[in-house]
Amino acid sequence: MKQNTQTAVIVIPTYNEAGNIGKMIDYLNETTFPYIEKKNEGLTADWVMKILVVDANSPDGTGKIVQEKSKKYSNTYLLTETTKDGLGAAYFKGFKYAMKELAADFVFEFDADFQHPPETLPSMLKAMEDGYDYVIGSRKIKGGEEPEGRDFMRMLMTEAGGFVARFILFFPFKHFWDVTDPTTGLKVTRVKGFIDQMSFDFDRLYSRKFGYKVQLLLETLNMGAKFKEVPLKFKNRSVGESKFESDTTTEILLSCFKSRWFDPFIQKFLKFGIVGGFGFVVNTLGAKIFKNIFITPESNLSLLNGLCNAAAAELAIISNFIWNNLWTFSKEKIDPSKLLPKFLTFNLSSVITGIIIPSTVIAILTSLFGDQLFLYQIIAIFGLTIPLNWFVYNKIIWKK
Ligand code: GDD
Ligand code: MN
């Protein structure tokens, strides 16, 4: 029979968790891991479970406790940071270590304070066995819950903050609807294809603190991770204090904004917009300039306007083609041998999406709703030309 051994590393960052961490390590090793080993809940793989505590050199002796425990349990490791460096930085260090030193196939993000019930772990492993790449614990789906007796402000922050975070990160795309708990702290990620493809350079973190979460969320989903939420029954902290600070919410939202802004897709769309805007300027200004050059007292004005606009439109098309090729789609740059046919296709599609389709629609709208040319032009540009061009550029001209 084929042996199916998988290694999962539970990464637990700690800062002053002396009251929790010993109990947590004991609980995982004595209760949770044996339960997993017995292949409960339909598990089929032989799971090698490891614990990696990343301690921020806690003054309360958290590290000492972990060190003691690691003598007792050979699967329990301690990574000590020189100083409290933020939750995101701690996870970056932990992931790198888990991958390089502990041969992790999967890495968990897990809190030390029993707010994440260890009972959730088997169902997450099961999902990984089923082929998911990224599984997160959600308080918002059926079976998930918030702890009782939360203070009103923190609850409001979670609810409003969670919604705003989803909105900034994903709207209007698919994950806006299916990620219900974007700031959750309980996650597991497949190493192969995901963690091993990421850079763990701290400088790329928009936030070294709690905000790292939303950045990794968007990145992992963008990498095409097969994703699932499992219910998380979020508990009250057993002992000790939360490290959530007054600026944490702002910091998370800022991180959402930056993650979205610098998202490759959004960057591409912004560049596409800028190039298109520039093309519009070339078109209008170009026609004026041509007209000034060629106009004579004998000119046939309607013919001149038509010709000048056609020439300027062609210039705009050329400009759009060049800048999109060099800048917007620099990663999909067209092979020189294919430049001419692609350019001709681009020209043709520009005429179709920029003139034929919108003009037809404007004519129809006018016959249906009366003469409102400017309004119809706006509708045609934003509702037809821009989305159609975006589609054609991505799916035909600069198709990978
Ligand atoms: N090494 C290290 N460095 N560990 C840290 C740091 C740090 O700077 N800051 C916090 N931790 C550890 C804590 O000791 C704890 O084990 C875990 O990270 C989570 O910190 P908590 O202070 O317990 O966070 P929380 O309970 O307020 O927030 C929880 O819920 C949030 C969603 O509302 C966490 O699960 C968050 O991840 C989650 O976003
Ligand atoms: Mn906590």
Side-chain angles (χ1 to χ4, degrees), residues 157-375:
M157 282 304 171
T158 312
E159 292 300 323
F163 183 80
V164 176
R166 276 165 72 183
F167 191 88
I168 304 177
L169 282 172
F170 303 118
F171 190 81
F173 298 105
K174 175 165 147 263
H175 295 306
F176 174 68
W177 311 100
D178 64 14
V179 176
T180 63
D181 197 352
T183 60
T184 181
L186 175 63
K187 294 177 184 166
V188 57
T189 315
R190 185 181 296 276
V191 170
K192 190 159 183 279
F194 299 93
I195 295 290
D196 65 0
Q197 299 301 308
M198 283 180 194
S199 146
F200 291 109
D201 175 0
F202 300 128
D203 291 342
R204 76 180 198 87
L205 275 175
Y206 302 132
S207 148
R208 287 171 88 105
K209 301 200 226 160
F210 284 76
Y212 86 95
K213 240 171 246 309
V214 290
Q215 183 180 354
L216 282 201
L217 175 69
L218 184 64
E219 278 177 17
T220 314
L221 292 173
N222 278 350
M223 291 168 99
K226 211 174 148 213
F227 152 86
K228 181 183 179 177
E229 287 185 336
V230 295
L232 163 62
K233 289 188 173 18
F234 200 55
K235 302 289 179 213
N236 277 312
R237 183 174 250 283
S238 60
V239 290
E241 275 166 26
S242 166
K243 279 81 202 172
F244 218 82
E245 291 157 11
S246 56
D247 66 347
T248 300
T249 306
T250 331
E251 177 246 330
I252 291 178
L253 290 182
L254 195 66
S255 197
C256 287
F257 182 79
K258 288 186 178 165
S259 304
R260 188 75 192 268
W261 181 259
F262 294 112
D263 176 69
F265 177 86
I266 294 293
Q267 284 286 307
K268 206 179 246 189
F269 193 74
L270 289 171
K271 289 174 183 170
F272 160 82
I274 293 169
V275 169
F278 182 67
F280 178 75
V281 173
V282 170
N283 196 343
T284 43
L285 225 62
K288 247 202 175 86
I289 293 171
F290 286 144
K291 190 175 174 181
N292 283 337
I293 295 176
F294 295 111
I295 194 164
T296 63
E298 295 84 46
S299 293
N300 173 339
L301 271 184
S302 45
L303 183 66
L304 183 70
N305 274 356
L307 286 177
C308 288
N309 181 62
E314 186 54 36
L315 261 193
I317 291 174
I318 295 171
S319 151
N320 283 355
F321 186 73
I322 293 175
W323 297 120
N324 277 320
N325 193 43
L326 292 179
W327 193 42
T328 315
F329 296 95
S330 59
K331 289 212 178 75
E332 294 84 13
K333 207 176 277 152
I334 297 165
D335 187 80
S337 69
K338 295 204 186 96
L339 264 179
L340 189 64
K342 286 277 190 185
F343 175 67
L344 294 177
T345 316
F346 185 85
N347 243 297
L348 180 67
S349 87
S350 299
V351 171
I352 296 173
T353 62
I355 300 176
I356 299 180
I357 294 181
S359 303
T360 312
V361 171
I362 287 174
I364 295 172
L365 287 176
T366 308
S367 74
L368 287 177
F369 305 108
D371 184 11
Q372 301 217 46
L373 182 59
F374 181 67
L375 176 69

Side-chain angles (χ1 to χ4, degrees), residues 13 15 17 81 86 111-113 115 139 183 213 237 242-243:
Y15 182 70
E17 301 287 359
E81 307 177 84
D111 290 356
D113 56 3
Q115 290 198 270
R139 298 163 282 190
T183 60
K213 240 171 246 309
R237 183 174 250 283
S242 166
K243 279 81 202 172

